[in-house]
Amino acid sequence: MDPADATAVAERRDELVAAVRDHAGQIAYQLARLQGGDYGQATVETDGGEWTVKYEGGDLEYLRYDPVRGSEVYVISTKQPPEPDALADALLDYQAFVEGFGDYVDSLDGVLDDVSTDFPEVATTDGVVGERDRVLGRIREVCDRIAGELQRYEGGDYGTYATRVDGTRWELKWEGARASYLRVGGTGGLYLLSQYEPPSAADIREYAPRFRGFVEAYNDHVAELESDLATVEL
């Protein structure tokens, strides 16, 4: 006897799967628009079971049917096609799934109609930003002056000057005649000046008054250097 030829059954199965993929793909696209993301899923319950549609990038990834009785079946998947008998059982409930999805969409109709777009005015940050830039600009001006003096004295293209003010470490790093950063508190501390984002207004309010102590410590450092040189005789 010749073995049974399954070609006709497989071709019919593939034909049905292709038709469902095209149709369910429209559902996946509408779901992606509704949920507003690149990927997601939704489950629709019917009398016969549960249908789960999952999408990625607006395209259908899989359609799974979990019947009340029997095993779940992936009607559409990225792997192998379903068994013909499982596909046949699932498609008996497919219309109920489509109607259930339609009912879900209809339930959202008008849900946003009464939502007001009369929002309060957004508060401007011009004032606090202006004050922040004014204070940091002055600190930057002084630090650049210190950086230029340190470059003149020590030579080289870059270096650091560190001191303690009321027990807290302050460190100024300079490159050329410009301050690269001013850090308070050692490694992991607060950058009062840096090439990145500025500190918060609260941090500026706390440390800007203390900056005077840092400048005074630097001036004392320079005075000590002058005192040392004053003892040199030629």
Side-chain angles (χ1 to χ4, degrees), residues 112 114-123:
L112 299 177
D114 296 331
V115 177
S116 174
T117 57
D118 185 15
F119 305 128
E121 289 292 330
V122 177

Side-chain angles (χ1 to χ4, degrees), residues 20 23-24 26-27 44-46 51 63 91 93-106:
V20 173
H23 189 269
Q26 300 177 50
I27 294 178
V44 176
E45 294 185 2
T46 65
W51 291 82
L63 177 64
L91 292 185
D93 196 53
Y94 183 75
Q95 181 174 346
F97 157 64
V98 177
E99 293 174 350
F101 179 76
D103 292 341
Y104 167 65
V105 175
D106 290 343

Side-chain angles (χ1 to χ4, degrees), residues 3-191:
D5 188 358
T7 302
V9 176
E11 289 178 348
R12 178 56 178 162
R13 187 266 319 277
D14 294 343
E15 179 182 320
L16 290 170
V17 168
V20 173
R21 182 184 297 276
D22 290 341
H23 189 269
Q26 300 177 50
I27 294 178
Y29 172 74
Q30 297 298 333
L31 182 62
R33 291 188 61 199
L34 184 62
Q35 295 187 341
D38 293 333
Y39 58 90
Q41 67 180 40
T43 299
V44 176
E45 294 185 2
T46 65
D47 292 339
E50 287 185 349
W51 291 82
T52 300
V53 55
K54 183 177 181 181
Y55 64 89
E56 282 197 10
D59 295 330
L60 178 66
E61 184 178 9
Y62 69 70
L63 177 64
R64 185 179 66 223
Y65 177 56
D66 188 8
V68 175
R69 295 182 181 83
S71 301
E72 67 177 18
V73 54
Y74 282 83
V75 178
I76 304 296
S77 75
T78 58
K79 300 178 181 179
Q80 64 188 38
E83 294 292 332
D85 54 351
L87 175 63
D89 291 340
L91 292 185
L92 291 176
D93 196 53
Y94 183 75
Q95 181 174 346
F97 157 64
V98 177
E99 293 174 350
F101 179 76
D103 292 341
Y104 167 65
V105 175
D106 290 343
S107 69
L108 299 176
D109 186 28
V111 70
L112 299 177
D113 289 352
D114 296 331
V115 177
S116 174
T117 57
D118 185 15
F119 305 128
E121 289 292 330
V122 177
T124 178
T125 59
D126 289 348
V128 66
V129 169
E131 285 300 300
R132 180 194 68 193
D133 292 346
R134 179 184 65 81
V135 174
L136 290 183
R138 179 58 180 151
I139 293 176
R140 163 66 67 183
E141 180 183 343
V142 173
C143 286
D144 285 348
R145 174 72 183 275
I146 293 175
E149 296 297 334
L150 289 172
Q151 183 192 33
R152 288 179 58 202
Y153 173 75
E154 297 187 9
D157 295 330
Y158 57 88
T160 59
Y161 167 73
T163 187
R164 287 191 173 273
V165 179
D166 296 330
T168 302
R169 178 182 172 86
W170 290 65
E171 180 178 275
L172 172 68
K173 180 178 180 182
W174 50 269
E175 293 185 8
R178 182 174 173 82
S180 177
Y181 68 71
L182 177 63
R183 186 175 64 201
V184 185
T187 303
L190 171 75
Y191 284 83

